[in-house]
Amino acid sequence: MTDASSKNILIIQTAFIGDTILASHFARAVKEQFPNSKIHFFLRKGNESVIQGLPTIEKTWIWDKQGGKTKNLFKLISELRKIKFDMVFNLHRHFNSGLVTSLMKSPIKVGFKQNPMSFAYTHKVNHQIPDPRGWHEVQRNLELLKQAVPTLQIGDNSKNYKPELPIQQKNIDKVSQYVTDNYFVVAPASVWFTKAWSEHKYRELTVELAKLGKVYFIGAPSDKDLCDRIRQDNPNTVNLCGGLNLLDSAALMKNARRVFVNDSAPLHLASCVNAKTTAVFCSTIPGFGYTPLADDSVVVDVGDSLSCRPCGLHGYKACPLGHFKCAEDIEIKRVMATIH
């Protein structure tokens, strides 16, 4: 169903960068159903680069959680209440995003029932992790849109629902000096220790990859030391941590022979550009619904061999049992075998 009338629609996602990237597909789906709508996107400061500039987005509202988190939130709420939204979709399940939703002037407020403010919604959807249907987060998000568009069909193939990024020519130009016919991109870091494959495993992988082509490491400035330790001055490797922003990094991934990532934000960057992706999952499991969405993508993990896995939804600063077998038991040859 599409609606020819003009509508103001607010999408809220104030979670981490990966969740924001995945929400870009939801914004596109909303625009397809309501092509004349003006879509506003509410997000946390630091995530705006992956949304601003998308053709589907009319305006972004940036919540600065530093230096007056609550004050800044209510200032934005006050501004948003000046707009008559026809629909509000909240993709986040925490209190603050629920508060924003509940205070909006809108006849339709849709979100997940796990949000503590969901009693104020007009429509609620159950968010399940793991999802018994085997659905990805992009499909779970679409269930919110289905509340406003009952005829919306949600297919079982999650790879049909890729997110997108506002990549510009300047991003492509910036990485053009690194693009060859044969190179690899590696993003070995994660905020959570147990979501990242072991440093020594990445070091062994790098030795093998460097025999086949140039290896580029990407990440934040804080990841530079880690990547230097992994590459150990291997002459066929380059440490680009801190030198590329998120959009630059995605542009570099696009034409790589293969991209190697953890269950973290770079995985979703790769999905946006349909990069050939190998994702190593350690403490978390594919069943959580955050697997790569590129056509040529694969998850490498230990499967169901460990009774302690998953040990949590987001990961830990250290393995709770001290052995970290979910990472240590993944063999280099299995990861290398994904290259073709």
Side-chain angles (χ1 to χ4, degrees):
M1 182 190 86
T2 58
D3 191 322
S5 63
S6 178
K7 295 183 182 296
N8 286 318
I9 299 174
L10 177 63
I11 298 172
I12 302 170
Q13 178 52 282
T14 55
F16 295 109
I17 190 76
D19 302 286
T20 307
I21 293 169
L22 292 178
S24 66
H25 175 270
F26 183 83
R28 186 168 75 245
V30 170
K31 189 69 171 179
E32 288 172 355
Q33 295 299 319
F34 305 99
N36 295 321
S37 63
K38 294 182 178 179
I39 299 176
H40 298 241
F41 201 110
F42 187 99
L43 46 69
R44 65 193 292 179
K45 186 175 182 179
N47 294 353
E48 61 270 21
S49 67
V50 300
I51 293 294
Q52 287 180 334
L54 287 176
T56 52
I57 305 301
E58 180 78 15
K59 181 176 175 59
T60 52
W61 298 82
I62 303 169
W63 176 27
D64 188 351
K65 298 179 73 172
Q66 303 297 320
K69 171 182 175 181
T70 302
K71 178 183 176 181
N72 293 337
L73 179 63
F74 277 95
K75 181 179 179 181
L76 285 172
I77 289 173
S78 177
E79 291 297 312
L80 284 164
R81 280 175 58 82
K82 297 175 183 177
I83 302 171
K84 176 63 168 63
F85 287 107
D86 297 279
M87 301 176 191
V88 177
F89 296 100
N90 183 6
L91 279 57
H92 199 207
R93 303 186 301 281
H94 289 189
F95 172 78
N96 286 317
S97 63
L99 180 65
V100 176
T101 306
S102 67
L103 293 176
M104 290 302 97
K105 296 179 178 179
S106 175
I108 299 177
K109 302 175 184 179
V110 189
F112 293 111
K113 74 175 187 180
Q114 283 75 11
N115 192 296
M117 292 296 293
S118 64
F119 64 87
Y121 298 172
T122 60
H123 301 75
K124 289 174 276 193
V125 172
N126 189 29
H127 189 280
Q128 301 179 80
I129 298 181
D131 194 301
R133 300 161 297 188
W135 276 14
H136 194 281
E137 182 72 357
V138 289
Q139 293 158 298
R140 293 192 289 250
N141 286 343
L142 285 175
E143 283 197 290
L144 301 181
L145 180 56
K146 191 174 177 66
Q147 303 308 299
V149 187
T151 57
L152 181 71
Q153 298 296 311
I154 305 173
D156 290 329
N157 185 358
S158 61
K159 291 184 177 181
N160 290 332
Y161 302 109
K162 292 177 180 60
E164 58 185 337
L165 289 168
I167 294 174
Q168 300 178 33
Q169 188 61 43
K170 65 180 182 181
N171 305 116
I172 297 170
D173 291 343
K174 185 171 181 179
V175 301
S176 61
Q177 61 183 306
Y178 307 117
V179 175
T180 65
D181 292 334
N182 184 40
Y183 68 95
F184 302 95
V185 175
V186 180
S190 173
V191 173
W192 303 103
F193 174 84
T194 62
K195 289 182 75 172
W197 201 23
S198 304
E199 182 176 326
H200 73 92
K201 292 279 189 177
Y202 269 116
R203 188 177 305 121
E204 294 175 46
L205 175 68
T206 300
V207 170
E208 297 304 315
L209 291 177
K211 296 175 183 177
L212 303 177
K214 184 75 78 174
V215 182
Y216 296 112
F217 287 88
I218 61 170
S222 57
D223 302 326
K224 191 174 189 304
D225 288 345
L226 167 67
C227 292
D228 275 341
R229 294 195 303 270
I230 290 172
R231 58 188 289 264
Q232 293 187 325
D233 294 323
N234 187 311
N236 211 24
T237 66
V238 179
N239 188 347
L240 296 174
C241 291
L244 303 179
N245 63 30
L246 292 170
L247 302 185
D248 299 333
S249 297
L252 180 64
M253 288 176 167
K254 181 176 177 61
N255 295 305
R257 181 173 175 184
R258 197 140 198 106
V259 173
F260 297 87
V261 295
N262 303 306
D263 176 14
S264 57
L267 179 158
H268 306 303
L269 292 177
S271 294
C272 290
V273 295
N274 203 27
K276 299 171 184 175
T277 307
T278 298
V280 180
F281 275 53
C282 299
S283 66
T284 52
I285 60 174
F288 284 168
Y290 296 94
T291 50
L293 295 172
D295 294 334
D296 181 353
S297 60
V298 63
V299 170
V300 180
D301 65 358
V302 296
D304 299 326
S305 62
L306 297 174
S307 60
C308 57
R309 179 175 179 265
C311 57
L313 182 60
H314 297 294
Y316 292 95
K317 293 296 184 182
C319 172
L321 299 181
H323 54 63
F324 202 26
K325 290 177 68 65
C326 59
E328 295 300 328
D329 287 358
I330 298 175
E331 299 175 329
I332 303 296
K333 64 181 181 181
R334 288 185 58 209
V335 179
M336 287 295 295
T338 65
I339 301 173
H340 50 264

